[in-house]
Amino acid sequence: RGIANTEISSNLALSLGKAFAIYLTQSTQSEEIKIVIGRDTRTSGDMLVSAFVAGAMSMGINVLDVGICPTPCVSYLVRELGVNGGVVITASHNSNPYNGIKLMDSKGAKLDTDIEFEISQIFHNITDYLCDTRVGRLVVDTDLPKRWADYLISCAKDIDLDKFNII
């Protein structure tokens, strides 16, 4: 996390998108690698998503952009859709000038420290890697977060709320 457009720049997001794609390519047996990306409502989100997606796609990774949604939604969609990883552009509780980039594994969970270290090594040596000859595809589907909302509703369908006053 950091101040958007300074500490968390589009160049950083582009290189991190490439590094995450390289890591997934090296660690996955799958012929087609796909990730889900979402973001919060911060102004800088569009810029950072665009840069990250460009980096990942330049390395042959397919990206599903689900638009504005919370981190647990992306985590759920990674598992539900059976993709290789997830990304959320958010600074959580930090104020608006901040933003950040969260990476997830194929289970929608925070990456292990050793995987973060491996991606960091790739990131810091990104010029050592050639771009893939394949170019990934981008699909935008902002209706997908509704699956998560439906899932949450299904989890609460048997809860009796009659004794509560809800505002």
Side-chain angles (χ1 to χ4, degrees), residues 13-78:
L14 178 78
S15 293
L16 187 56
K18 287 182 177 186
F20 191 43
I22 291 165
Y23 167 78
L24 290 173
T25 301
Q26 291 176 347
S27 64
T28 305
Q29 304 300 324
S30 177
E31 185 68 28
E32 178 188 0
I33 300 172
K34 183 184 271 187
I35 61 172
V36 171
I37 190 166
R39 64 187 161 284
D40 66 17
T41 59
R42 294 165 202 272
T43 306
S44 58
D46 289 337
M47 172 191 71
L48 295 173
V49 165
S50 297
F52 190 98
V53 167
M57 289 174 55
S58 75
M59 301 308 290
I61 302 297
N62 294 324
V63 181
L64 177 57
D65 182 350
V66 298
I68 295 170
C69 64
T71 300
C73 176
V74 173
S75 180
Y76 171 81
L77 290 172
V78 166

Side-chain angles (χ1 to χ4, degrees), residues 23-145:
Y23 167 78
L24 290 173
T25 301
Q26 291 176 347
S27 64
T28 305
Q29 304 300 324
S30 177
E31 185 68 28
E32 178 188 0
I33 300 172
K34 183 184 271 187
I35 61 172
V36 171
I37 190 166
R39 64 187 161 284
D40 66 17
T41 59
R42 294 165 202 272
T43 306
S44 58
D46 289 337
M47 172 191 71
L48 295 173
V49 165
S50 297
F52 190 98
V53 167
M57 289 174 55
S58 75
M59 301 308 290
I61 302 297
N62 294 324
V63 181
L64 177 57
D65 182 350
V66 298
I68 295 170
C69 64
T71 300
C73 176
V74 173
S75 180
Y76 171 81
L77 290 172
V78 166
R79 291 187 311 274
E80 177 74 11
L81 300 172
V83 299
N84 304 92
V87 182
V88 184
I89 307 298
T90 182
S92 300
H93 61 279
N94 294 98
S95 60
N96 190 40
Y98 288 84
N99 218 327
I101 303 172
K102 293 181 184 181
L103 303 177
M104 298 176 186
D105 64 18
S106 61
K107 295 178 182 98
K110 182 182 181 319
L111 297 178
D112 291 336
T113 306
D114 57 328
I115 295 172
E116 287 179 344
F117 179 76
E118 193 173 336
I119 293 170
S120 175
Q121 293 297 106
I122 296 168
F123 174 85
H124 289 294
N125 297 296
I126 200 72
T127 56
D128 294 346
Y129 296 88
L130 298 174
C131 285
D132 198 302
T133 56
R134 299 171 296 150
V135 175
R137 305 276 311 189
L138 171 65
V139 173
V140 177
D141 188 343
T142 56
D143 290 333
L144 276 172

